[in-house]
C-alpha cells in the first residue's frame, strides 16, 4: 500500500483494540480493575511494582502474591508484543526489534547504547499517515494507532534486556526515550501522553524516568503542540522542519499545507516559553533539495535568538527514493551558516543504517 503524494491521513482505520493492560491504566483505574477481578485493591500496587520495577510479568516470580491471586491478576498483563526479528550492529550496542502486535500489525523499536547512556527509539503508530516522501514509514500509510501499553512495552522490553545484561556493556537502564520510530506521536495524542505518564511517574505508578529524557518528535501538528505545552510534562519537543520556506516544506512535509512554517515555529516558541525547554529542530540534509546555503541563511534568520537547537540528520537512504545525503562540503557550509547566526547546531551521528534502523528507515517488513 502506498499513499498518493501529499495525501494526509489523520484518522486511523477502526480496528479491534489490543487487550487491556496494566500500563494502559492510571493507578486509580488499576485498583478498580483489580477489584473487578475480585482482588483487594492494594494488589494493584504490588502488581505494578512487579511490572514497572522488577520488569516481570511472570506470575511464578510474584512470590508476595497468593498463588490464586497471581493467576487472576495476570489477566492485566497480557502479552502485547511478540518479537519477530532482532538485528544488531555496533558490536551489539544498537539493536532493532521487529514486533508483531496482537492483530498482526508490525512495528519496530531501536535500542542505542552509548558510553554514558541508553536511548530507546519507540513507535507510536503502526505505519504513519503523514506521508513525508523521504521517510520509509510514511510511504506505507497508516495501519493503526498503538495503545498506551503497546508503546510502554517497547521501553520495558529494552529495560529488561539491559537489566539482564543482554546488551554489551553490562547491566544498565534506559535513560532516554525518543518518539522517533514509526508514526506521528501527536496524531495519536491520548495514547502517547498516557505512555509518557507511565514512563515518568515514579514506581509503582510507572518507570520513574525523567521527563527531560523524553523527546516527542512531530511533523508539526500545531493544535497538539499547544496542548502538549499545557500537560505539565516538560518533555523535549523535536520539530521536523526540513525546510525553512513553505514552497519546499509543502512537498517534503505535507502537513505544511495545513500549518505553515511561521505557524509551526510560533507553536514551538510558545512551547519553549511554557516549558523552559529548548526545542530541537530536526533537519534531514538532502543533496541539492534542501541543503542550499541560502536556505541555511533563511533558517538561521527565522530561529536565531530563540531557545532552540538544530539537529542536522544526513539523509538515510530509503527504498525507491532517488534522494541521498548532502555532500560533506555542503553539510559543512550549512553548519557554518547557522553558526554565523549564533544558532547551536549538531550533526546527528546516525546509528543503525546497516540494519535499516536509522531515522526514517523503519518500514517493518518481515
Ligand atoms: N513523525 C515524527 C517522528 C518520526 S521520524 C516526525 O516526523 O518527527 C523521526 C525523525 O526522522 C524525523 O525528524 C523525520 O523527519 C526524520 N527522518 C525521516 N526520514 C528520514 C530519512 N530518510 N533520513 C533522515 N531522517 C529522516
Amino acid at each position: 500500500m502506498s499513499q498518493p503524494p501529499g495525501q494526509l491521513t489523520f484518522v486511523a482505520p477502526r480496528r479491534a483494540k489490543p487487550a487491556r493492560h496494566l500500563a494502559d491504566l492510571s493507578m486509580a483505574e488499576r485498583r478498580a480493575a483489580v477489584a473487578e477481578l475480585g482482588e483487594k485493591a492494594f494488589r494493584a500496587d504490588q502488581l505494578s511494582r512487579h511490572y514497572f520495577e522488577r520488569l516481570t510479568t511472570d506470575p511464578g516470580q510474584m512470590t508476595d502474591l497468593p498463588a490464586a491471586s497471581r493467576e487472576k491478576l495476570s489477566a492485566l498483563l497480557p502479552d502485547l508484543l511478540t518479537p519477530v526479528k532482532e538485528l544488531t550492529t555496533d558490536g551489539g550496542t544498537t539493536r532493532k526489534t521487529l514486533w508483531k502486535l496482537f492483530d498482526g500489525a508490525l512495528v519496530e523499536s531501536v535500542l542505542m547504547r552509548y558510553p554514558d547512556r541508553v536511548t530507546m527509539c519507540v513507535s507510536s503508530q503502526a505505519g504513519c499517515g503523514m506521508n513525508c516522501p523521504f521517510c520509509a514509514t510514511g510511504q506505507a500509510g497508516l495501519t493503526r494507532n498503538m495503545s498506551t501499553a503497546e508503546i510502554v512495552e517497547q521501553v520495558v522490553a529494552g529495560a529488561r534486556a539491559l537489566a539482564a545484561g543482554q546488551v554489551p556493556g553490562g547491566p544498565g537502564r534506559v535513560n532516554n526515550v525518543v518518539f522517533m520510530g514509526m508514526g506521528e506521536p501527536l496524531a495519536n495524542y491520548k495514547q502517547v501522553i498516557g505512555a509518557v505518564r507511565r514512563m515518568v511517574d515514579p514506581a509503582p505508578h510507572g518507570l520513574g524516568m525523567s521527563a527531560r529524557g523524553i523527546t516527542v518528535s512531530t511533523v508539526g501538528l500545531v493544535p497538539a503542540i499547544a496542548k502538549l505545552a499545557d500537560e505539565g510534562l516538560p518533555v523535549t519537543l523535536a520539530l521536523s522542519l526540513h525546510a525553512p520556506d513553505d514552497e519546499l516544506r509543502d512537498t517534503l512535509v505535507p502537513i505544511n499545507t495545513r500549518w505553515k512554517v511561521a505557524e509551526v515555529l510560533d507553536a514551538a516558541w510558545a512551547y519553549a516559553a511554557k516549558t523552559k525547554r529548548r526545542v530541537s529542530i530536526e533537519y534531514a540534509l538532502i543533496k541539492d533539495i534542501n541543503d542550499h546555503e541560502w536556505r541555511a541563511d533563511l533558517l538561521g534568520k527565522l530561529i536565531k535568538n530563540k531557545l532552540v537547537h538544530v539537529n542536522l540528520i544526513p539523509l538515510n537512504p530509503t527504498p525507491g527514493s532517488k534522494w541521498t545525503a548532502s555532500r560533506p562540503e555542503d553539510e559543512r557550509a550549512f553548519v557554518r551558516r547557522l553558526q554565523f547566526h549564533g544558532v547551536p547546531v549538531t550533526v546527528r551521528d546516525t546509528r543503525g543504517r546497516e540494519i535499516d534502523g536509522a531515522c526514517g528507515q523503519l518500514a517493518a517488513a518481515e
Side-chain angles (χ1 to χ4, degrees), residues 235-237 271-272 275-280 306-309 344:
V235 295
T236 300
L237 179 73
Y271 186 86
T275 61
K276 313 275 184 282
R277 303 287 298 139
R278 187 175 293 274
V279 172
S280 176
K306 301 288 188 186
L307 194 55
V308 75
H309 172 268

Side-chain angles (χ1 to χ4, degrees), residues 1-4 7 9 96 98 106-110 121-144 146 179-185 219 252 254 315-321 356-365:
M1 179 177 62
S2 77
Q3 308 198 85
Q7 180 177 300
T9 310
K96 177 173 93 162
L98 172 67
L106 297 170
V107 299
E108 294 180 313
S109 60
V110 186
C121 177
V122 299
S123 296
S124 56
Q125 298 181 309
C128 185
M130 296 296 111
N131 208 3
C132 301
F134 55 90
C135 175
T137 310
Q139 296 320 292
L142 178 61
T143 302
R144 73 161 167 91
M146 293 177 73
F179 281 87
M180 294 190 183
M182 298 172 73
E184 165 51 44
V219 289
L252 291 182
L315 187 82
N316 294 306
T318 58
S321 169
D356 282 346
C359 303
Q361 293 186 313
L362 302 184

